[in-house]
Amino acid sequence: MLKIYNSLTGEKEIFKPIHEGHVGMYVCGPTVYNLVHLGNCRTFLSFDLIFRYLKFLGYKVRYVRNITDVGHIVDDADEGEDKIAKKARLEQIEPMEVVQRYTVDFHQIMELFNAFPPSIEPTATGHIIEQIEIIKKILDNGFAYEVNGSVYFDVLKYNQVKPYGILSGRNIEDMMANTRDLDGQSDKKNPQDFALWKKAEPEHIMRWPSPWGDGFPGWHLECTAMSTKYLGDTFDIHGGGMDLKFPHHECEIAQNEACSGHSPVNYWMHANLLTLNGKKMAKSTGNNILPREIFSGNSPFLSKAFSPIVVRFFMLQAHYRSILDFSNDAVLAAEKGFFRLTEAIEKLASIEAGKTSSVNIATWKQRCFEAMNDDFNSPILIAELFEAVRYINLLTDKKETLTAADLEDFTQTLKGFVFDVLGLVDANQENNQSDKLEGVIEMLIEMRNQARADKNWALSDEIRDKLLALGIQLKDGKEGTVFSLN
């Protein structure tokens, strides 16, 4: 019996999907200019685990994860320059070129982590019409107002009908007392009101026509539009990082209630933070590391390179709702555990079945399911998997025995939880993939060397530039050309 911790109620609840055998799950995806932040990766790996386990249990899951591909304001300050437009202006390219570059990189990183792609991956810019229609309904229902081409959600009026702050546990009176004096609030009735639609100034590149004039949607609106379009007015699970609980998810609830008259989600789930050496990760302080820096070892925080699967295994050793600290020593320990686990699995093929079973596989199997059924408790599951490693060593040494049927059940269950649920990859398979990648790169280097020898500079530069675009940097030296993964 699967139990899920519901952030809305603060309790673990027995999971009852709206439609039997089917699950609708929406996860707030990344903002395009911050796609490969390691903390984001942890969030998406947490929900990849949840996606995998629901499928493992036999559910048909529609997993929707959006991409915020417009760099509008994401902090309710309603001020500042569109970050995507700024980067496009500085590089003299189209904003959607910036979007494409970051999106491709994000997909490559998640593939390296062996994360399943979502069932649907909608974008904010692809759903402007839906967002405008929701604004119209909220206006018609009296919970929004238009001022000078911008539309704002009336938080105080909504709070008279439904409690604003129900998810985060915040009190509207306390929010009013602690509100900062922000630029751009002169158009608002109340400082707590948030933008549904913002009027675009003449210099604003990313803009769309609307009944209120050219502008762009507010941050919170996109998820409301996309989740309800693909999962219905009420769906099973809405997830995201802990930092999105307020104000983003709080505003989503308010928008849905104001539009349709009911709560959109049965189970709200939030993944916790990832820190680095005990401190918050931040570019401004230099306490930051990117996934490709981990894979290449090109970081002052690391003693060596670590494979994506080892990093995935490290992250799953903590419960998704707990804070996890990333450090060199912690990942080294995870690497040792990962190889111990996969080496034990390799031994299974050489174990001979016995006439009797001296190990209770059914009880061990039940404990594995109980761990995951307890709000996807991957650390407890991993502890049970290492108990299986102990069994394997005893079976290998012929100190314990299993019948053919029990050995088959044990093998299939273990591999199911390791590969299907945790999403790990066999160490030998990963090494083979690395060897193949290295071989392909070496072949391209040889082709480039030949092109240079033939003075075909165009082909030489093309090979170098295309490898660089994939995060593979070539360095020419006296002893030849070497490559590094960025």
Side-chain angles (χ1 to χ4, degrees):
M1 186 177 295
L2 176 61
K3 290 186 177 181
I4 296 178
Y5 181 86
N6 192 342
S7 295
L8 188 64
T9 62
E11 297 179 355
K12 291 180 185 178
E13 300 176 4
I14 296 174
F15 180 59
K16 295 180 180 179
I18 296 171
H19 303 290
E20 186 175 353
H22 294 73
V23 177
M25 181 171 75
Y26 184 89
V27 175
C28 287
T31 305
V32 83
Y33 49 79
N34 199 24
L35 284 175
V36 293
H37 186 281
L38 192 61
N40 279 344
C41 291
R42 190 212 173 180
T43 295
F44 304 133
L45 290 179
S46 295
F47 284 99
D48 182 61
L49 171 74
I50 292 166
F51 182 33
R52 284 171 172 274
Y53 187 61
L54 289 171
K55 288 168 66 72
F56 190 70
L57 292 179
Y59 288 107
K60 293 188 68 175
V61 185
R62 176 176 288 177
Y63 173 22
V64 182
R65 184 186 68 206
N66 75 299
I67 286 184
T68 301
D69 62 339
V70 53
H72 51 58
I73 310 308
V74 291
D75 61 4
D76 283 345
D78 299 334
E79 58 182 341
E81 185 175 4
D82 182 306
K83 294 182 181 180
I84 292 176
K86 179 180 180 180
K87 192 169 184 66
R89 176 174 54 78
L90 291 174
E91 297 190 21
Q92 296 184 328
I93 59 177
E94 284 291 324
M96 282 302 151
E97 288 185 66
V98 178
V99 168
Q100 181 69 9
R101 183 190 306 168
Y102 279 85
T103 302
V104 168
D105 189 38
F106 170 65
H107 288 155
Q108 289 174 349
I109 293 294
M110 295 313 295
E111 185 176 353
L112 288 170
F113 277 127
N114 198 35
F116 284 157
S119 312
I120 304 173
E121 191 173 55
T123 62
T125 57
H127 296 77
I128 300 297
I129 293 173
E130 290 85 350
Q131 294 177 73
I132 289 173
E133 290 303 311
I134 290 174
I135 295 172
K136 289 179 181 178
K137 290 180 182 179
I138 296 174
L139 280 166
D140 290 344
N141 291 340
F143 293 107
Y145 55 92
E146 186 266 336
V147 180
N148 297 326
S150 295
V151 182
Y152 296 97
F153 189 93
D154 194 331
V155 170
L156 294 187
K157 186 169 183 180
Y158 171 80
N159 192 64
Q160 294 172 359
V161 180
K162 298 277 187 176
Y164 180 79
I166 189 171
L167 180 63
S168 60
R170 302 195 182 202
N171 182 285
I172 191 70
E173 288 78 16
D174 293 338
M175 284 188 260
M176 292 173 65
N178 295 319
T179 299
R180 298 174 294 160
D181 184 19
L182 299 172
D183 291 339
Q185 287 194 160
S186 58
D187 286 345
K188 297 180 181 181
K189 290 182 181 179
N190 311 291
Q192 294 73 31
D193 296 348
F194 57 89
L196 296 173
W197 187 264
K198 284 292 293 180
K199 177 183 178 180
E201 299 302 324
E203 66 275 8
H204 203 99
I205 299 176
M206 301 185 81
R207 57 199 296 146
W208 293 267
S210 80
W212 317 284
D214 281 6
F216 52 93
W219 172 30
H220 314 298
L221 194 61
E222 60 184 274
C223 288
T224 296
M226 290 183 276
S227 62
T228 54
K229 176 172 181 174
Y230 296 109
L231 297 175
D233 288 342
T234 304
F235 53 95
D236 298 299
I237 296 172
H238 194 315
M242 192 71 74
D243 56 320
L244 296 180
K245 184 182 287 190
F246 184 89
H248 186 51
H249 290 164
E250 202 72 76
C251 293
E252 278 195 66
I253 291 175
Q255 288 169 165
N256 273 280
E257 290 274 9
C259 180
S260 64
H262 57 76
S263 179
V265 182
N266 285 350
Y267 303 88
W268 285 91
M269 302 181 69
H270 294 92
N272 217 324
L273 303 175
L274 182 70
T275 59
L276 177 60
N277 292 325
K279 298 178 182 178
K280 181 180 178 181
M281 277 198 275
K283 291 181 182 178
S284 58
T285 63
N287 194 57
N288 189 54
I289 188 168
L290 297 174
R292 291 194 190 277
E293 293 174 334
I294 302 172
F295 308 155
S296 67
N298 186 24
S299 169
F301 297 110
L302 299 176
S303 62
K304 54 168 285 190
F306 293 97
S307 77
I309 297 301
V310 166
V311 178
R312 179 187 179 101
F313 183 61
F314 159 75
M315 291 190 183
L316 295 178
Q317 286 182 312
H319 191 270
Y320 77 90
R321 285 193 288 113
S322 65
I323 294 175
L324 174 62
D325 187 53
F326 185 98
S327 70
N328 184 72
D329 289 346
V331 185
L332 276 172
E335 184 178 55
K336 291 179 181 178
F338 171 73
F339 285 121
R340 183 179 162 217
L341 178 60
T342 54
E343 286 167 4
I345 292 174
E346 288 178 23
K347 295 179 182 178
L348 280 169
S350 62
I351 294 174
E352 296 180 0
K355 295 181 179 180
T356 60
S357 293
S358 57
V359 179
N360 192 331
I361 295 304
T363 300
W364 168 82
K365 183 176 178 178
Q366 181 181 352
R367 293 200 303 267
C368 290
F369 278 102
E370 287 175 351
M372 287 302 291
N373 286 342
D374 184 16
D375 193 32
F376 311 98
N377 201 324
S378 57
I380 300 299
L381 171 63
I382 290 172
E384 290 298 338
L385 298 181
F386 279 110
E387 180 68 2
V389 171
R390 188 177 72 85
Y391 292 159
I392 291 170
N393 291 333
L394 291 172
L395 291 165
T396 302
D397 295 339
K398 301 189 184 301
K399 294 179 180 179
E400 300 284 359
T401 60
L402 287 176
T403 63
D406 281 346
L407 181 59
E408 176 66 18
D409 188 25
F410 178 52
T411 300
Q412 294 304 316
T413 301
L414 179 59
K415 288 184 176 181
F417 277 108
V418 171
F419 302 131
D420 298 336
V421 176
L422 294 184
L424 303 181
V425 176
D426 182 87
N428 285 335
Q429 179 183 337
E430 187 181 20
N431 290 335
N432 289 338
Q433 289 174 343
S434 298
D435 291 342
K436 289 177 182 178
L437 174 62
E438 187 172 338
V440 170
I441 296 171
E442 293 292 352
M443 180 182 68
L444 290 171
I445 289 174
E446 288 179 12
M447 291 174 62
R448 179 171 175 266
N449 288 340
Q450 186 60 50
R452 295 173 74 187
D454 297 339
K455 296 185 179 181
N456 187 346
W457 309 120
L459 177 58
S460 171
D461 290 347
E462 183 181 4
I463 293 172
R464 179 200 61 202
D465 294 343
K466 285 189 174 181
L467 286 173
L468 184 61
L470 295 172
I472 303 166
Q473 184 175 12
L474 301 184
K475 294 181 181 180
D476 297 317
K478 293 180 180 179
E479 298 181 358
T481 302
V482 297
F483 71 89
S484 61
L485 301 178
N486 297 329

